[in-house]
Amino acid sequence: MPRALVLGTPHLSEPLRNERLRILCAVRERVAEVAETAVAVMRAEIPSYAVQDQRFFEDVRHQVLSHYRITLALLAGERSIAPEDLVFSRTAAMRRARAGFPLEDWISAFRVGRQVFWDAVLECAGTSPAAQEAALTLVDPLMRYMEYASTHAAQAYVEFQQHVVADADRERRDLLEQLLAGSSPSRGPLMAAAQAYGIGPHASMMAVVAVCVAGADAAAESGYATSAALSAAGIRAARTLVVVRHGEIVAVPVLRTGMEPEDLCARFEALQQRLAKDGTVLAMGISTVAGGASELPRAYQEARAALDFVPSGGGVAALPRLSPFEYLALRADDIARQLVDPRVSALLDEDRKRGGILAATIRTFAQADLNLRLAADRLRVHHNTAHYRLRRIEERTGRNPRRIADLLELLVALAIRDAAGEGEGGQ
């Protein structure tokens, strides 16, 4: 951006130059009236301005008049303008930002001011050809000033917003670090921030850790882009504490009254799927419930550990959805896999290629509490067919599914295979 704006006076014939000065003098004589008109239009066209009080509009009127007087002096070639001459506009922009006015409303005010000023120029010019030609010579310099002034004001507005966002980000980081140390703030701004998120010493919370699966560079870029979406992932419009931390996105949702852990799991899973459709693929781990801030460090470590269960293509691993049996199977190492009888592994591998009929029979038989007729009904086959399948499993593996110990071994082999992403549906 140039340090100063110099418009100068264009090379015009003396009659055209005199006509131009006449127009500017006429606008200057009624500049206060033009400013009042601009304020009235802003009040009518900008919703956030319409509900303000008289003190606010006195401030707006002062801003408009200041801009108009500088504009007239520039157009008349009486002065140049430097950024320091627009301090009044920059401070006003910061006041609007502090009050929560949208940036687009602030820019709309500039648009209205420019249009009303131009209407005044045309009205003061009249309809003669010389006047119309003189008025046209004012278009370019007027646009240049308005662009220069609005850019300075918008820059100040954005700088203030960035400062506020940075302060809020630091506050969220400080709050999360204290929570991960196992304590809840007891006073000051951090306590107020914790209360805004529903976080207290005895609040029921969960930890969610998400990472981008596209790599470190993508994670750094996408982390801040997705943290806003995650912050709205609570239930019933509740705010959720979300912080981008060490390449992770850490969220601390609070279980509100009447909520179950599954409610939050489903909400975060839906969010993960929606973000994936938009091109941001996350791996997300969700902890069990922490009964207060003192248990949050444990929940955070759980959420990080759950990431190990997420497939390479992203997804959600929610510990509240797992049984202890499923969790142990997911944590199985190479030794556990080697302990599976080769005959069992061979049968399951062959069965998988044929559609997984025997695996489905083992699971359904277990879910039916070893009731063969009930299992057959659920499988939608004749009970003789189900009986044949169990006998075949025993012949191939040496394990009788009717015996609890043998059935458990078969279920463990299935769970270990599925945990390795080798089952019918993978993880």
Side-chain angles (χ1 to χ4, degrees), residues 239-285:
R239 295 174 62 201
T240 298
L241 173 64
V242 180
V243 176
V244 179
R245 178 181 185 268
H246 305 319
E248 302 172 338
I249 307 172
V250 182
V252 184
V254 175
L255 284 167
R256 311 281 172 166
T257 303
M259 289 173 55
E260 297 294 333
E262 173 57 27
D263 296 330
L264 281 175
C265 293
R267 187 67 176 263
F268 278 96
E269 183 176 48
L271 176 63
Q272 190 276 340
Q273 293 171 352
R274 178 171 61 80
L275 290 173
K277 290 180 181 178
D278 294 336
T280 301
V281 183
L282 299 177
M284 193 178 293

Side-chain angles (χ1 to χ4, degrees), residues 151-165:
T151 299
H152 271 278
Q155 184 183 52
Y157 193 103
V158 171
E159 286 172 356
F160 180 83
Q161 286 189 323
Q162 289 174 338
H163 172 73
V164 171
V165 168

Side-chain angles (χ1 to χ4, degrees), residues 143-266:
M143 294 293 291
R144 288 171 59 194
Y145 169 73
M146 287 300 178
E147 179 182 0
Y148 186 85
S150 62
T151 299
H152 271 278
Q155 184 183 52
Y157 193 103
V158 171
E159 286 172 356
F160 180 83
Q161 286 189 323
Q162 289 174 338
H163 172 73
V164 171
V165 168
D167 279 351
D169 191 46
R170 281 192 294 270
E171 184 179 77
R172 287 193 298 271
R173 287 175 178 270
D174 291 344
L175 174 58
L176 179 64
E177 293 302 328
Q178 185 163 343
L179 291 171
L180 293 182
S183 63
S184 180
S186 59
R187 62 180 182 178
L190 289 186
M191 180 180 179
Q195 291 177 342
Y197 293 112
I199 296 172
H202 307 294
S204 295
M205 299 172 281
M206 297 166 71
V208 180
V209 176
V211 295
C212 288
V213 300
D217 293 339
E221 181 178 350
S222 301
Y224 291 96
T226 58
S227 60
L230 289 174
S231 68
I235 306 295
R236 298 172 187 167
R239 295 174 62 201
T240 298
L241 173 64
V242 180
V243 176
V244 179
R245 178 181 185 268
H246 305 319
E248 302 172 338
I249 307 172
V250 182
V252 184
V254 175
L255 284 167
R256 311 281 172 166
T257 303
M259 289 173 55
E260 297 294 333
E262 173 57 27
D263 296 330
L264 281 175
C265 293

Side-chain angles (χ1 to χ4, degrees), residues 1-5 81-83 148 152:
M1 184 177 295
R3 287 293 302 166
L5 177 65
I81 186 171
Y148 186 85
H152 271 278

Side-chain angles (χ1 to χ4, degrees), residues 18-45:
N18 291 337
E19 189 66 18
R20 176 184 168 121
L21 289 174
R22 179 191 68 79
I23 296 171
L24 293 176
C25 288
V27 174
R28 181 173 286 164
E29 288 177 0
R30 51 179 295 193
V31 68
E33 176 188 340
V34 177
E36 287 289 348
T37 301
V39 172
V41 176
M42 292 175 192
R43 191 170 194 166
E45 294 187 0

